[in-house]
Amino acid sequence: MDYAKLTEDLKAAQREVWLVTGEMEDGGTANLDKVFLTLPRAHEAKVLEAIRNAGLYCRAKRRWIGDGYMLTVSKGQGDVNTKAVTVFVAEMERRGYEVLAYRQMD
């Protein structure tokens, strides 16, 4: 696993989020949507460091649909958060990562 590349890919996905959500109104239903990133056989401490170095938040590896990392990719609460997760997932998939959108209304 190339952790420097992971950091750069996370940063690139976050830039896409900012481009799309920068001017959005944050209406709609408040939600706890997150990005679930699966990285089999990756070293947890190094993944968490890459996530932090990309300016994102993840508390720790967790179990949802397998083992992975639940990422916060937006400071939005409603529509902005929903769109941010959608854009981030699409960009990370485009870059070859196994990633899912976790959706939960508050």
Side-chain angles (χ1 to χ4, degrees):
M1 159 100 343
D2 182 343
Y3 298 100
K5 180 180 181 325
L6 173 61
T7 299
E8 291 310 309
D9 289 341
L10 291 167
K11 286 180 179 179
Q14 191 63 37
R15 281 191 298 274
E16 290 299 314
V17 166
W18 293 332
L19 287 172
V20 172
T21 64
E23 301 296 321
M24 277 184 71
E25 290 291 322
D26 196 17
T29 303
N31 62 67
L32 302 171
D33 293 0
K34 304 282 186 227
V35 172
F36 189 73
L37 175 64
T38 304
L39 297 167
R41 296 174 301 282
H43 190 272
E44 182 178 358
K46 290 182 180 185
V47 172
L48 292 173
E49 181 181 6
I51 291 167
R52 276 191 305 277
N53 288 342
L56 300 171
Y57 176 77
C58 177
R59 186 184 208 174
K61 189 180 206 179
R62 46 183 328 161
R63 188 149 193 64
W64 176 46
I65 299 176
D67 292 329
Y69 302 87
M70 200 68 78
L71 308 177
T72 300
V73 299
S74 170
K75 292 183 175 144
Q77 294 180 8
D79 293 339
V80 168
N81 193 37
T82 298
K83 186 66 170 181
V85 167
T86 301
V87 169
F88 198 96
V89 165
E91 182 61 22
M92 291 300 283
E93 283 178 338
R94 190 182 73 70
R95 292 171 176 272
Y97 292 90
E98 187 177 326
V99 61
L100 297 167
Y102 171 82
R103 307 285 186 188
Q104 179 183 337
M105 290 204 317
D106 190 13

XYZ file of all heavy atoms in Angstrom:
840
model
N 0.842 -1.180 0.000
C 0.000 0.000 0.000
C 0.882 1.236 0.000
O 1.780 1.351 0.827
C -0.918 -0.037 1.223
C -1.485 1.275 1.636
S -3.135 1.850 1.253
C -3.828 0.971 0.002
N 0.607 2.142 -0.922
C 1.331 3.406 -1.019
C 0.539 4.459 -0.233
O -0.453 4.998 -0.725
C 1.483 3.789 -2.488
C 2.274 5.063 -2.692
O 2.451 5.835 -1.733
O 2.704 5.293 -3.833
N 0.966 4.724 0.992
C 0.228 5.630 1.876
C 0.313 7.090 1.429
O -0.634 7.850 1.635
C 0.687 5.449 3.321
C 0.400 4.045 3.811
C 1.391 3.082 3.840
C -0.878 3.676 4.203
C 1.128 1.786 4.261
C -1.162 2.388 4.627
C -0.150 1.443 4.648
O -0.433 0.164 5.054
N 1.411 7.479 0.801
C 1.521 8.839 0.262
C 0.514 9.031 -0.882
O -0.129 10.085 -0.976
C 2.939 9.108 -0.229
N 0.371 8.016 -1.725
C -0.620 8.086 -2.805
C -2.032 8.136 -2.231
O -2.881 8.876 -2.719
C -0.474 6.899 -3.753
C -1.487 6.933 -4.901
C -1.317 5.744 -5.824
C -2.246 5.714 -6.998
N -3.587 6.205 -6.831
N -2.288 7.351 -1.185
C -3.600 7.394 -0.531
C -3.899 8.811 -0.055
O -4.991 9.332 -0.294
C -3.641 6.407 0.638
C -4.896 6.465 1.510
C -6.154 6.157 0.702
C -4.757 5.512 2.697
N -2.929 9.439 0.599
C -3.122 10.825 1.068
C -3.454 11.741 -0.098
O -4.406 12.538 -0.017
C -1.861 11.333 1.792
O -1.621 10.503 2.933
C -2.025 12.774 2.238
N -2.711 11.648 -1.176
C -2.946 12.514 -2.341
C -4.308 12.228 -2.982
O -5.001 13.161 -3.411
C -1.819 12.371 -3.352
C -0.502 12.948 -2.864
C -0.630 14.370 -2.318
O -1.207 15.229 -3.011
O -0.169 14.611 -1.189
N -4.703 10.978 -3.049
C -6.012 10.633 -3.617
C -7.147 11.148 -2.737
O -8.160 11.646 -3.244
C -6.137 9.121 -3.819
C -5.267 8.620 -4.957
O -4.844 9.431 -5.815
O -5.004 7.401 -5.003
N -6.984 11.063 -1.434
C -7.990 11.606 -0.510
C -8.101 13.128 -0.671
O -9.199 13.687 -0.700
C -7.642 11.245 0.935
C -7.765 9.775 1.310
C -7.100 9.509 2.655
C -9.230 9.338 1.328
N -6.959 13.794 -0.793
C -6.956 15.249 -0.996
C -7.651 15.613 -2.311
O -8.416 16.580 -2.367
C -5.527 15.794 -1.016
C -4.875 15.854 0.327
C -3.451 16.403 0.190
C -2.754 16.503 1.506
N -1.372 17.024 1.357
N -7.379 14.849 -3.356
C -7.994 15.117 -4.661
C -9.507 14.937 -4.591
O -10.263 15.750 -5.141
C -7.394 14.203 -5.727
N -9.956 13.900 -3.913
C -11.397 13.679 -3.769
C -12.024 14.818 -2.969
O -13.127 15.286 -3.288
C -11.663 12.331 -3.101
N -11.326 15.288 -1.946
C -11.840 16.399 -1.147
C -11.918 17.683 -1.968
O -12.865 18.456 -1.833
C -10.967 16.606 0.093
C -11.559 17.536 1.103
C -12.861 17.021 1.671
O -13.037 15.843 1.889
N -13.799 17.906 1.899
N -10.946 17.909 -2.851
C -11.010 19.093 -3.733
C -12.247 19.035 -4.621
O -12.901 20.054 -4.853
C -9.740 19.196 -4.579
C -8.560 19.775 -3.838
C -7.403 20.120 -4.759
N -6.852 18.982 -5.461
C -5.911 18.170 -4.995
N -5.412 18.362 -3.787
N -5.454 17.166 -5.719
N -12.568 17.849 -5.132
C -13.780 17.683 -5.947
C -15.020 18.040 -5.139
O -15.948 18.667 -5.645
C -13.885 16.260 -6.493
C -12.873 15.927 -7.554
C -12.998 16.825 -8.778
O -14.127 17.038 -9.266
O -11.959 17.321 -9.251
N -15.042 17.616 -3.887
C -16.165 17.940 -2.999
C -16.303 19.447 -2.870
O -17.395 20.004 -3.009
C -15.984 17.282 -1.609
C -16.942 17.871 -0.585
C -16.162 15.777 -1.708
N -15.202 20.142 -2.628
C -15.246 21.592 -2.453
C -15.730 22.295 -3.721
O -16.479 23.273 -3.648
C -13.894 22.138 -2.041
C -13.456 21.700 -0.675
C -14.255 21.370 0.389
C -12.120 21.529 -0.227
N -13.493 21.001 1.460
C -12.179 21.091 1.116
C -10.886 21.694 -0.831
C -11.038 20.831 1.871
C -9.752 21.431 -0.075
C -9.828 21.006 1.249
N -15.293 21.803 -4.874
C -15.727 22.403 -6.138
C -17.239 22.297 -6.314
O -17.883 23.226 -6.791
C -15.032 21.727 -7.322
C -13.558 22.043 -7.513
C -12.967 21.152 -8.609
C -13.368 23.511 -7.863
N -17.796 21.173 -5.945
C -19.228 20.926 -6.152
C -20.082 21.557 -5.059
O -21.168 22.057 -5.330
C -19.502 19.408 -6.246
C -20.978 19.109 -6.271
C -18.821 18.818 -7.474
N -19.606 21.548 -3.815
C -20.457 21.986 -2.702
C -20.167 23.398 -2.205
O -20.890 23.898 -1.351
C -20.329 21.016 -1.507
O -18.980 21.052 -1.015
C -20.733 19.611 -1.894
N -19.127 24.027 -2.742
C -18.690 25.331 -2.241
C -19.767 26.394 -2.158
O -19.805 27.169 -1.211
N -20.650 26.442 -3.112
C -21.684 27.476 -3.156
C -23.082 26.939 -2.847
O -24.060 27.664 -2.992
C -21.689 28.146 -4.540
C -20.371 28.796 -4.923
C -20.011 29.958 -4.012
O -20.912 30.722 -3.622
O -18.813 30.092 -3.679
N -23.167 25.692 -2.435
C -24.479 25.076 -2.188
C -25.127 25.605 -0.917
O -24.457 25.872 0.071
C -24.336 23.550 -2.011
C -24.284 22.754 -3.268
S -24.232 20.971 -2.907
C -25.892 20.691 -2.311
N -26.449 25.716 -0.954
C -27.235 25.975 0.252
C -27.339 24.659 1.008
O -27.543 23.607 0.409
C -28.634 26.473 -0.124
C -28.660 27.859 -0.718
C -28.314 28.923 0.305
O -28.723 28.799 1.476
O -27.625 29.881 -0.088
N -27.230 24.711 2.316
C -27.258 23.482 3.106
C -28.636 23.274 3.726
O -28.794 23.272 4.941
C -26.175 23.505 4.183
C -25.913 22.137 4.767
O -26.311 21.141 4.138
O -25.308 22.060 5.846
N -29.630 23.069 2.873
C -30.975 22.774 3.344
C -31.163 21.272 3.437
O -30.215 20.505 3.459
N -32.411 20.867 3.472
C -32.715 19.441 3.484
C -32.608 18.834 4.864
O -32.388 19.507 5.860
N -32.755 17.542 4.912
C -32.750 16.803 6.169
C -31.334 16.650 6.702
O -30.427 16.253 5.972
C -33.353 15.399 5.944
O -34.659 15.560 5.416
C -33.410 14.610 7.230
N -31.161 16.941 7.987
C -29.862 16.724 8.622
C -29.545 15.237 8.559
O -30.435 14.397 8.672
C -29.896 17.203 10.068
N -28.279 14.915 8.352
C -27.905 13.511 8.220
C -26.507 13.274 8.760
O -25.756 14.196 9.031
C -28.009 13.060 6.761
C -27.070 13.811 5.851
O -25.857 13.674 5.946
N -27.620 14.627 4.961
N -26.212 12.016 8.931
C -24.901 11.593 9.410
C -24.170 10.806 8.330
O -23.438 9.866 8.617
C -25.064 10.740 10.672
C -25.792 11.421 11.830
C -26.094 10.428 12.938
C -24.997 12.595 12.358
N -24.377 11.181 7.069
C -23.763 10.466 5.955
C -22.239 10.503 6.071
O -21.653 11.517 6.430
C -24.175 11.074 4.621
C -25.658 10.891 4.311
O -26.371 10.289 5.133
O -26.087 11.347 3.242
N -21.624 9.376 5.745
C -20.170 9.229 5.798
C -19.704 8.422 4.600
O -20.489 7.820 3.885
C -19.737 8.486 7.065
C -20.190 9.087 8.359
C -19.356 10.269 8.729
C -19.743 10.777 10.112
N -19.922 12.184 10.168
N -18.403 8.384 4.399
C -17.765 7.558 3.378
C -17.112 6.380 4.092
O -16.398 6.571 5.080
C -16.711 8.368 2.599
C -15.910 7.470 1.688
C -17.377 9.484 1.818
N -17.362 5.174 3.594
C -16.746 3.970 4.158
C -15.703 3.458 3.177
O -16.020 3.034 2.073
C -17.807 2.900 4.430
C -17.290 1.728 5.196
C -17.004 1.838 6.550
C -17.087 0.509 4.578
C -16.526 0.751 7.267
C -16.613 -0.582 5.286
C -16.329 -0.465 6.637
N -14.447 3.527 3.585
C -13.310 3.152 2.752
C -12.734 1.829 3.229
O -12.388 1.685 4.407
C -12.239 4.254 2.838
C -10.920 4.031 2.137
C -11.104 3.935 0.620
C -9.960 5.167 2.491
N -12.650 0.869 2.331
C -12.105 -0.447 2.651
C -10.704 -0.567 2.060
O -10.521 -0.336 0.866
C -13.011 -1.551 2.066
O -14.326 -1.364 2.572
C -12.527 -2.918 2.447
N -9.756 -0.924 2.909
C -8.365 -1.092 2.478
C -7.818 -2.388 3.078
O -7.157 -2.375 4.123
C -7.512 0.100 2.921
C -7.891 1.452 2.345
C -7.204 2.578 3.094
C -7.564 1.499 0.872
N -8.110 -3.515 2.446
C -7.663 -4.799 2.997
C -6.146 -4.841 3.190
O -5.385 -4.340 2.373
C -8.089 -5.819 1.938
C -9.131 -5.123 1.117
C -8.803 -3.668 1.175
N -5.743 -5.417 4.287
C -4.331 -5.647 4.612
C -3.509 -4.372 4.807
O -2.293 -4.418 4.843
C -3.673 -6.575 3.586
C -4.278 -7.969 3.571
C -3.740 -8.836 2.474
N -3.936 -8.327 1.128
C -5.070 -8.374 0.444
N -6.146 -8.887 0.983
N -5.145 -7.902 -0.780
N -4.164 -3.236 4.906
C -3.435 -1.986 5.149
C -3.189 -1.827 6.653
O -3.965 -2.299 7.478
C -4.226 -0.798 4.616
N -2.108 -1.163 7.000
C -1.745 -0.919 8.393
C -2.598 0.238 8.932
O -2.530 1.358 8.432
C -0.250 -0.580 8.472
C 0.274 -0.532 9.848
N 0.233 0.604 10.606
C 0.849 -1.495 10.617
C 0.763 0.356 11.782
N 1.151 -0.917 11.811
N -3.395 -0.048 9.955
C -4.370 0.929 10.464
C -3.737 2.273 10.833
O -4.251 3.334 10.451
C -5.127 0.357 11.665
C -6.173 1.312 12.207
C -6.980 0.749 13.358
O -6.781 -0.420 13.744
O -7.840 1.491 13.869
N -2.669 2.260 11.575
C -2.050 3.525 12.012
C -1.598 4.363 10.814
O -1.755 5.589 10.815
C -0.876 3.250 12.940
N -1.074 3.716 9.789
C -0.620 4.445 8.600
C -1.802 4.978 7.790
O -1.728 6.070 7.228
C 0.272 3.555 7.744
C 1.608 3.282 8.400
C 2.495 2.439 7.531
C 3.822 2.202 8.220
N 4.765 1.495 7.370
N -2.896 4.218 7.735
C -4.095 4.703 7.042
C -4.661 5.910 7.779
O -4.990 6.927 7.158
C -5.165 3.594 6.922
C -6.471 4.161 6.390
C -4.670 2.465 6.029
N -4.749 5.825 9.093
C -5.277 6.955 9.870
C -4.393 8.190 9.722
O -4.900 9.309 9.631
C -5.423 6.556 11.342
C -6.499 5.513 11.616
C -6.450 5.059 13.065
C -7.886 6.037 11.264
N -3.094 7.987 9.645
C -2.182 9.112 9.409
C -2.422 9.722 8.022
O -2.445 10.942 7.872
C -0.735 8.637 9.536
C 0.265 9.749 9.340
C 1.711 9.272 9.450
O 1.954 8.055 9.568
O 2.599 10.140 9.395
N -2.595 8.886 7.011
C -2.876 9.381 5.658
C -4.179 10.176 5.633
O -4.260 11.226 4.990
C -2.945 8.213 4.671
N -5.175 9.682 6.339
C -6.469 10.373 6.401
C -6.298 11.736 7.069
O -6.773 12.756 6.560
C -7.508 9.503 7.145
C -7.858 8.272 6.300
C -8.761 10.312 7.477
C -8.628 7.198 7.048
N -5.603 11.775 8.196
C -5.350 13.051 8.888
C -4.533 13.997 8.012
O -4.818 15.199 7.936
C -4.612 12.806 10.205
C -5.498 12.450 11.362
C -4.757 12.493 12.691
N -3.561 11.655 12.711
C -3.549 10.349 12.942
N -4.672 9.718 13.168
N -2.414 9.684 12.945
N -3.512 13.461 7.339
C -2.665 14.300 6.477
C -3.450 14.878 5.299
O -3.054 15.895 4.732
C -1.465 13.510 5.969
C -0.453 13.241 7.059
O -0.459 13.895 8.105
N 0.410 12.269 6.840
N -4.543 14.217 4.940
C -5.406 14.722 3.867
C -6.404 15.748 4.399
O -7.185 16.310 3.634
C -6.146 13.563 3.200
N -6.396 15.981 5.699
C -7.299 16.964 6.294
C -8.684 16.426 6.576
O -9.628 17.202 6.758
N -8.812 15.110 6.653
C -10.102 14.476 6.906
C -10.132 13.883 8.304
O -9.101 13.789 8.969
C -10.366 13.385 5.862
C -10.396 13.882 4.419
C -10.438 12.704 3.458
C -11.583 14.800 4.194
N -11.321 13.460 8.723
C -11.469 12.887 10.056
C -11.931 11.444 9.978
O -12.852 11.106 9.236
C -12.476 13.693 10.887
C -12.719 13.068 12.238
C -11.781 13.200 13.258
C -13.858 12.311 12.480
C -11.971 12.606 14.489
C -14.054 11.707 13.718
C -13.116 11.867 14.717
O -13.309 11.265 15.938
N -11.283 10.608 10.762
C -11.686 9.214 10.984
C -11.167 8.834 12.356
O -9.979 9.011 12.642
C -11.107 8.294 9.918
S -11.499 6.557 10.207
N -12.042 8.332 13.177
C -11.662 7.975 14.540
C -10.780 6.722 14.586
O -9.744 6.699 15.232
C -12.921 7.758 15.342
C -12.707 7.530 16.784
C -14.049 7.243 17.370
N -14.148 7.627 18.741
C -15.254 7.575 19.403
N -16.363 7.221 18.803
N -15.295 7.892 20.661
N -11.223 5.670 13.931
C -10.493 4.401 13.946
C -11.118 3.455 12.931
O -12.202 3.719 12.403
C -10.563 3.762 15.336
N -10.426 2.366 12.676
C -10.979 1.318 11.813
C -12.220 0.753 12.499
O -12.255 0.618 13.718
C -9.934 0.224 11.636
C -10.274 -0.806 10.612
C -9.134 -1.819 10.562
C -9.055 -2.474 9.231
N -7.936 -3.418 9.184
N -13.249 0.453 11.709
C -14.464 -0.110 12.291
C -15.056 -1.182 11.404
O -14.664 -1.331 10.265
C -15.474 0.980 12.601
C -15.707 2.000 11.552
C -16.677 3.065 11.992
N -17.677 2.538 12.893
C -18.425 3.264 13.699
N -18.280 4.546 13.706
N -19.305 2.734 14.482
N -16.003 -1.877 11.939
C -16.676 -2.941 11.218
C -18.071 -2.450 10.845
O -18.837 -2.060 11.705
C -16.767 -4.181 12.083
C -17.273 -5.377 11.368
C -16.641 -6.627 11.989
N -16.784 -7.841 11.243
C -16.288 -8.086 10.048
N -15.629 -7.183 9.410
N -16.452 -9.253 9.463
N -18.364 -2.437 9.553
C -19.711 -2.119 9.076
C -20.069 -3.214 8.085
O -20.665 -4.205 8.432
C -19.771 -0.716 8.453
C -21.111 -0.381 7.873
C -22.332 -0.587 8.468
C -21.384 0.203 6.604
N -23.337 -0.169 7.640
C -22.785 0.323 6.482
C -20.592 0.639 5.562
C -23.392 0.865 5.367
C -21.204 1.185 4.463
C -22.589 1.295 4.367
N -19.691 -3.064 6.852
C -19.800 -4.133 5.858
C -18.356 -4.562 5.627
O -17.708 -4.139 4.688
C -20.468 -3.630 4.562
C -21.866 -3.152 4.859
C -20.466 -4.728 3.504
C -22.582 -2.550 3.673
N -17.828 -5.329 6.540
C -16.412 -5.632 6.545
C -15.670 -4.587 7.368
O -16.274 -3.739 8.007
N -14.356 -4.664 7.343
C -13.528 -3.710 8.073
C -13.189 -2.534 7.165
O -12.902 -2.726 5.988
C -12.224 -4.371 8.527
C -12.458 -5.422 9.591
O -13.407 -5.270 10.376
O -11.676 -6.393 9.644
N -13.216 -1.345 7.730
C -12.880 -0.176 6.941
C -12.856 1.081 7.788
O -12.875 1.033 9.012
N -12.853 2.194 7.111
C -12.684 3.502 7.739
C -13.865 4.393 7.378
O -14.146 4.624 6.206
C -11.362 4.130 7.270
C -10.195 3.227 7.600
C -9.807 2.223 6.719
C -9.529 3.351 8.808
C -8.766 1.366 7.035
C -8.484 2.499 9.129
C -8.118 1.507 8.239
O -7.097 0.645 8.552
N -14.565 4.888 8.394
C -15.714 5.761 8.209
C -15.192 7.202 8.226
O -14.764 7.711 9.254
C -16.712 5.517 9.337
C -18.105 5.955 9.068
S -18.991 5.015 7.807
C -19.457 3.530 8.662
N -15.213 7.850 7.064
C -14.633 9.184 6.910
C -15.688 10.275 6.944
O -16.736 10.158 6.313
C -13.907 9.295 5.568
C -12.877 8.235 5.221
C -12.329 8.489 3.826
C -11.780 8.210 6.239
N -15.370 11.339 7.625
C -16.164 12.565 7.564
C -15.545 13.428 6.470
O -14.362 13.771 6.549
C -16.123 13.306 8.914
O -16.662 12.440 9.913
C -16.913 14.604 8.860
N -16.331 13.770 5.442
C -15.784 14.511 4.298
C -16.456 15.866 4.092
O -16.199 16.536 3.103
C -15.856 13.673 3.001
C -15.038 12.392 3.146
C -17.288 13.358 2.623
N -17.329 16.261 5.037
C -18.048 17.515 4.876
C -18.372 18.114 6.238
O -18.573 17.391 7.214
C -19.356 17.260 4.115
O -20.187 18.389 4.144
N -18.453 19.436 6.257
C -18.920 20.121 7.458
C -20.404 20.458 7.332
O -20.979 21.053 8.220
C -18.093 21.373 7.694
C -16.666 21.027 8.060
C -15.845 22.246 8.357
C -14.487 21.773 8.824
N -13.397 22.512 8.462
N -20.998 20.068 6.225
C -22.419 20.300 6.013
C -23.265 19.410 6.906
O -22.777 18.442 7.487
N -24.566 19.758 6.971
C -25.476 18.986 7.813
C -26.592 18.316 7.026
O -27.162 17.349 7.485
C -26.116 19.890 8.864
C -25.134 20.427 9.845
C -25.816 21.308 10.869
O -27.029 21.408 10.934
N -25.030 21.962 11.692
N -26.917 18.841 5.874
C -28.028 18.311 5.098
C -27.612 18.014 3.677
O -26.816 17.111 3.416
N -28.164 18.808 2.741
C -27.886 18.584 1.322
C -26.395 18.626 0.989
O -25.923 17.853 0.158
C -28.622 19.625 0.468
C -30.136 19.465 0.529
O -30.610 18.365 0.882
O -30.836 20.444 0.234
N -25.670 19.520 1.636
C -24.230 19.634 1.367
C -23.519 18.339 1.758
O -22.679 17.824 1.011
C -23.610 20.849 2.090
C -22.090 20.803 2.048
C -24.117 22.143 1.478
N -23.854 17.793 2.908
C -23.217 16.556 3.356
C -23.566 15.396 2.426
O -22.694 14.612 2.048
C -23.614 16.227 4.793
C -22.742 15.155 5.396
O -21.550 15.094 5.160
N -23.348 14.286 6.171
N -24.817 15.301 2.035
C -25.241 14.238 1.122
C -24.481 14.321 -0.197
O -23.961 13.321 -0.699
C -26.759 14.326 0.861
O -27.438 14.131 2.102
C -27.217 13.285 -0.133
N -24.390 15.515 -0.767
C -23.689 15.706 -2.039
C -22.192 15.438 -1.881
O -21.562 14.819 -2.736
C -23.931 17.124 -2.563
C -23.378 17.369 -3.933
C -24.110 16.535 -4.959
C -23.732 16.935 -6.360
N -24.444 16.166 -7.358
N -21.620 15.893 -0.765
C -20.191 15.687 -0.530
C -19.845 14.198 -0.510
O -18.873 13.770 -1.140
C -19.775 16.343 0.790
N -20.640 13.422 0.175
C -20.391 11.977 0.248
C -20.513 11.352 -1.139
O -19.676 10.544 -1.548
C -21.338 11.309 1.268
C -21.325 9.799 1.135
C -20.965 11.729 2.685
N -21.521 11.747 -1.895
C -21.732 11.210 -3.237
C -20.535 11.512 -4.141
O -20.031 10.632 -4.841
C -23.021 11.784 -3.847
O -24.121 11.441 -2.998
C -23.268 11.265 -5.243
N -20.072 12.747 -4.124
C -18.942 13.168 -4.962
C -17.657 12.472 -4.522
O -16.886 11.987 -5.357
C -18.780 14.709 -4.914
C -17.470 15.151 -5.535
C -19.960 15.379 -5.590
N -17.424 12.398 -3.226
C -16.205 11.779 -2.708
C -16.147 10.305 -3.089
O -15.111 9.812 -3.545
C -16.153 11.942 -1.183
C -14.796 11.737 -0.591
C -13.976 12.806 -0.327
C -14.335 10.465 -0.286
C -12.715 12.627 0.224
C -13.085 10.263 0.256
C -12.266 11.348 0.515
N -17.252 9.604 -2.912
C -17.302 8.182 -3.268
C -17.003 7.995 -4.755
O -16.197 7.139 -5.136
C -18.662 7.556 -2.877
C -18.879 6.211 -3.552
C -18.765 7.415 -1.369
N -17.637 8.792 -5.596
C -17.424 8.666 -7.047
C -15.970 8.902 -7.418
O -15.400 8.174 -8.241
C -18.339 9.634 -7.801
N -15.348 9.903 -6.814
C -13.950 10.215 -7.135
C -13.013 9.105 -6.652
O -12.081 8.721 -7.360
C -13.552 11.558 -6.532
C -12.151 11.992 -6.847
C -11.857 12.194 -8.333
O -12.800 12.403 -9.125
O -10.671 12.130 -8.710
N -13.246 8.585 -5.470
C -12.385 7.511 -4.961
C -12.581 6.225 -5.766
O -11.611 5.518 -6.029
C -12.635 7.277 -3.474
C -12.148 8.423 -2.589
S -10.372 8.764 -2.697
C -9.743 7.410 -1.691
N -13.802 5.940 -6.185
C -14.040 4.777 -7.057
C -13.298 4.954 -8.373
O -12.680 4.019 -8.879
C -15.534 4.597 -7.322
C -16.278 3.978 -6.174
C -17.771 3.862 -6.435
O -18.322 4.605 -7.299
O -18.413 3.035 -5.759
N -13.345 6.161 -8.919
C -12.646 6.451 -10.169
C -11.143 6.210 -10.031
O -10.476 5.799 -10.966
C -12.922 7.897 -10.582
C -12.449 8.246 -11.983
C -12.692 9.707 -12.328
N -11.800 10.613 -11.642
C -10.498 10.746 -11.882
N -9.911 9.999 -12.781
N -9.769 11.616 -11.215
N -10.636 6.411 -8.837
C -9.213 6.223 -8.561
C -8.883 4.784 -8.162
O -7.746 4.487 -7.810
C -8.754 7.204 -7.479
C -8.779 8.630 -7.977
C -8.537 9.633 -6.855
N -8.492 10.962 -7.427
C -7.390 11.541 -7.908
N -6.235 10.906 -7.859
N -7.434 12.745 -8.431
N -9.887 3.914 -8.177
C -9.640 2.489 -7.960
C -9.829 1.964 -6.552
O -9.453 0.837 -6.255
N -10.432 2.749 -5.668
C -10.627 2.316 -4.285
C -11.992 1.662 -4.109
O -12.945 1.981 -4.814
C -10.516 3.510 -3.328
C -9.120 4.068 -3.258
C -8.717 5.077 -4.118
C -8.200 3.573 -2.341
C -7.430 5.590 -4.072
C -6.909 4.078 -2.281
C -6.537 5.083 -3.148
O -5.258 5.581 -3.101
N -12.065 0.782 -3.115
C -13.339 0.183 -2.721
C -13.934 1.086 -1.647
O -13.402 1.196 -0.536
C -13.114 -1.225 -2.176
C -14.396 -1.953 -1.903
C -14.145 -3.377 -1.432
O -13.176 -4.003 -1.890
O -14.931 -3.843 -0.611
N -15.023 1.731 -1.986
C -15.600 2.743 -1.117
C -17.121 2.735 -1.263
O -17.638 2.455 -2.347
C -14.971 4.137 -1.445
C -15.238 4.549 -2.844
C -15.371 5.186 -0.477
N -17.811 2.996 -0.158
C -19.277 3.003 -0.151
C -19.776 4.260 0.543
O -19.085 4.826 1.402
C -19.828 1.802 0.619
C -19.513 0.420 0.086
C -19.870 -0.623 1.143
C -20.289 0.171 -1.186
N -20.996 4.647 0.234
C -21.654 5.735 0.945
C -22.474 5.133 2.089
O -23.263 4.219 1.884
C -22.567 6.513 0.021
N -22.244 5.612 3.296
C -23.054 5.247 4.458
C -24.065 6.363 4.620
O -23.690 7.536 4.740
C -22.165 5.126 5.700
C -22.942 4.957 6.975
C -23.411 3.711 7.359
C -23.207 6.046 7.791
C -24.132 3.557 8.538
C -23.929 5.900 8.978
C -24.386 4.653 9.329
O -25.105 4.495 10.488
N -25.341 6.024 4.599
C -26.403 7.042 4.700
C -27.195 6.844 5.978
O -27.645 5.740 6.262
C -27.357 6.930 3.508
C -26.702 6.961 2.140
C -26.272 8.333 1.770
N -25.783 8.360 0.397
C -25.199 9.382 -0.140
N -25.005 10.478 0.561
N -24.776 9.338 -1.383
N -27.369 7.936 6.739
C -28.176 7.864 7.957
C -28.780 9.234 8.247
O -28.067 10.212 8.415
C -27.323 7.424 9.146
C -28.111 7.347 10.433
C -27.245 6.976 11.624
O -26.183 6.387 11.471
N -27.708 7.325 12.801
N -30.118 9.278 8.298
C -30.773 10.538 8.662
C -30.651 10.735 10.168
O -30.675 9.785 10.930
C -32.244 10.516 8.248
C -32.370 10.565 6.755
S -33.854 11.188 6.012
C -35.196 10.578 6.848
N -30.486 11.984 10.554
C -30.334 12.326 11.957
C -31.698 12.351 12.633
O -32.679 12.698 12.097
C -29.646 13.691 12.064
C -29.239 14.026 13.470
O -29.246 13.126 14.333
O -28.883 15.192 13.711
